[in-house]
Amino acid sequence: MSDPVVRCRLTTRSMWDYIDGRLSDTRGELLRRHVAECARCRGILEFHQRVRGLLLTLCNDSPEVPALRDRVIAALRGDAIAGRE
Amino acid sequence: MSDGDRRAPRPMWSRWRAARRSPSTASVKRSSLPRCARNNQRGGAVISGMDTTMTAAARAALDAQFAAEALPQLPHVARFARMLTGGNQADADDLVQDTFLRAYKAWPKYRPGGMCRSWLFTICRNSYLREAGRRSRVVSLEPPAMDAEVAASNYVAASHRSPDLLLDRVDLRPALQKAIAALPEQFRSTLVLVDVEGRPYEEAAVALEVPIGTVRSRLFRARRMLQQSLLAHAEDAGYRVRAAG
């Protein structure tokens, strides 16, 4: 695997697995070593990580739950009453 | 289309249909019940419209379990629904209500201690698909084959031209929401479950009723589509993203 083009291709292919923590320790170490010396792959990894980080921030956008919760419970109650009839 | 999309979804309900523990042995605290359950403890069935042989104690136990396991998932279901409906709040709220009504009816078949959130996500997504009439067949809405790293390479080139990192200079959150809403449904659901809700692949696979390999491939494609959308947005905002010439 001495061809740099091949190394870059293999690295970029496994980047998301690496970010998701689904790469073995050995392959993770190989990826880190390559990224440390390849500016292009480093940039790609950084892009992936930034997009992943952005997506995670959406998790903090909590919808207005209390009103919705009341509405759902009221609907459940109505449904239960209908079920008894 | 190599990600298994053509395969018919395998019903996963069987995972939740395992024998539940005897309701009569469950401890029921009145204060832990939702209002509907408390009201009905006095003299009626809540979940039990479908089962007239169930004792009051058994009904109350089911309600208590629903209150303790399903209702706390409401914020997650609400966020998932909002993503599914492309940010339409009214549609999302309707979807959440429908999800919980369906879950409530199916609750006697749910196994306590199971993956309740994933179970609700499945109900929510199926309800959305049913409502939208999109369940008939998985059609290929994917973009044409492209170089796997074109978007990333463009980003790298653009970053080199800019003194600051591109993603720091453009407000991408609105674009991100829009880009997610524009993804084909099967990619959108997968991306939201894993990248926004933080569910592991295994759980997303259960919620989406597909193999783990399909989750992985859909996820990668969804992210790639998203990255391209974000770069297009940056370009619209005046940043030169693609290499000249």
Side-chain angles (χ1 to χ4, degrees):
Chain A
M1 206 175 73
S2 58
D3 184 349
V5 177
V6 174
R7 271 209 307 269
C8 288
R9 190 175 301 155
L10 289 173
T11 299
T12 52
R13 272 187 194 164
S14 52
M15 270 182 192
W16 281 119
D17 282 328
Y18 174 72
I19 291 168
D20 288 345
R22 301 184 73 87
L23 218 53
S24 69
D25 289 348
T26 310
R27 290 184 63 197
E29 179 54 33
L30 282 174
L31 184 143
R32 276 193 295 276
R33 219 180 291 163
H34 175 73
V35 163
E37 61 192 30
C38 175
R40 180 182 175 275
C41 286
R42 197 160 53 245
I44 293 172
L45 181 64
E46 179 193 81
F47 183 42
H48 288 348
Q49 286 171 327
R50 284 182 166 260
V51 169
R52 182 80 170 86
L54 271 173
L55 284 165
L56 283 173
T57 65
L58 296 181
C59 192
N60 301 324
D61 294 348
S62 292
E64 283 300 316
V65 170
L68 181 58
R69 189 185 179 83
D70 287 348
R71 175 183 158 180
V72 165
I73 289 174
L76 289 172
R77 184 196 290 158
D79 197 57
I81 291 167
R84 287 203 304 274
E85 287 170 355
Chain B
M1 197 156 70
S2 59
D3 68 356
D5 282 342
R6 279 176 295 195
R7 236 173 295 167
R10 289 179 303 182
M12 302 295 286
W13 291 96
S14 55
R15 295 199 184 191
W16 297 304
R17 278 181 176 165
R20 56 187 303 121
R21 76 177 174 230
S22 168
S24 62
T25 63
S27 99
V28 183
K29 289 182 182 169
R30 186 178 162 75
S31 59
S32 70
L33 300 178
R35 275 181 297 167
C36 59
R38 289 203 297 269
N39 290 346
N40 281 285
Q41 245 193 333
R42 282 194 289 269
V46 177
I47 294 176
S48 51
M50 58 192 85
D51 187 354
T52 53
T53 63
M54 201 178 281
T55 65
R59 291 167 190 153
L62 282 176
D63 285 351
Q65 287 161 2
F66 191 81
E69 282 200 54
L71 283 179
Q73 307 301 332
L74 194 139
H76 302 282
V77 176
R79 192 166 46 230
F80 183 57
R82 196 175 58 180
M83 294 280 186
L84 277 183
T85 57
N88 184 315
Q89 197 62 56
D91 286 352
D93 288 354
D94 288 348
L95 182 56
V96 172
Q97 179 175 320
D98 190 50
T99 299
F100 276 89
L101 285 174
R102 288 177 188 279
Y104 193 52
K105 283 176 182 162
W107 191 246
K109 293 169 187 164
Y110 172 79
R111 184 187 61 202
M115 290 186 284
C116 189
R117 194 182 301 175
S118 294
W119 182 66
L120 290 167
F121 284 154
T122 303
I123 296 173
C124 183
R125 177 170 179 255
N126 287 345
S127 185
Y128 167 75
L129 291 171
R130 198 164 26 240
E131 185 65 29
R134 298 174 193 179
R135 189 86 202 242
S136 56
R137 184 183 288 263
V138 177
V139 291
S140 179
L141 294 170
E142 302 162 31
M146 63 189 85
D147 175 51
E149 301 302 332
V150 166
S153 297
N154 285 339
Y155 166 78
V156 174
S159 295
H160 287 165
R161 283 194 296 274
S162 304
D164 301 317
L165 287 165
L166 192 69
L167 296 188
D168 290 337
R169 302 182 68 183
V170 186
D171 178 15
L172 287 173
R173 281 172 60 90
L176 193 62
Q177 305 263 19
K178 203 170 154 188
I180 292 172
L183 290 174
E185 186 282 326
Q186 67 267 39
F187 297 100
R188 185 164 71 246
S189 300
T190 310
L191 182 103
V192 170
L193 284 176
V194 177
D195 279 350
V196 179
E197 290 297 325
R199 310 321 299 163
Y201 285 18
E202 291 76 8
E203 213 174 307
V206 171
L208 297 168
E209 302 171 315
V210 295
I212 288 176
T214 303
V215 169
R216 181 177 175 272
S217 60
R218 283 185 185 175
L219 190 60
F220 289 7
R221 298 180 87 150
R223 288 162 169 173
R224 196 185 310 156
M225 286 184 246
L226 207 62
Q227 287 177 317
Q228 290 192 317
S229 298
L230 292 178
L231 289 178
H233 174 79
E235 214 165 32
D236 290 345
Y239 291 90
R240 193 159 58 91
V241 171
R242 289 173 221 293

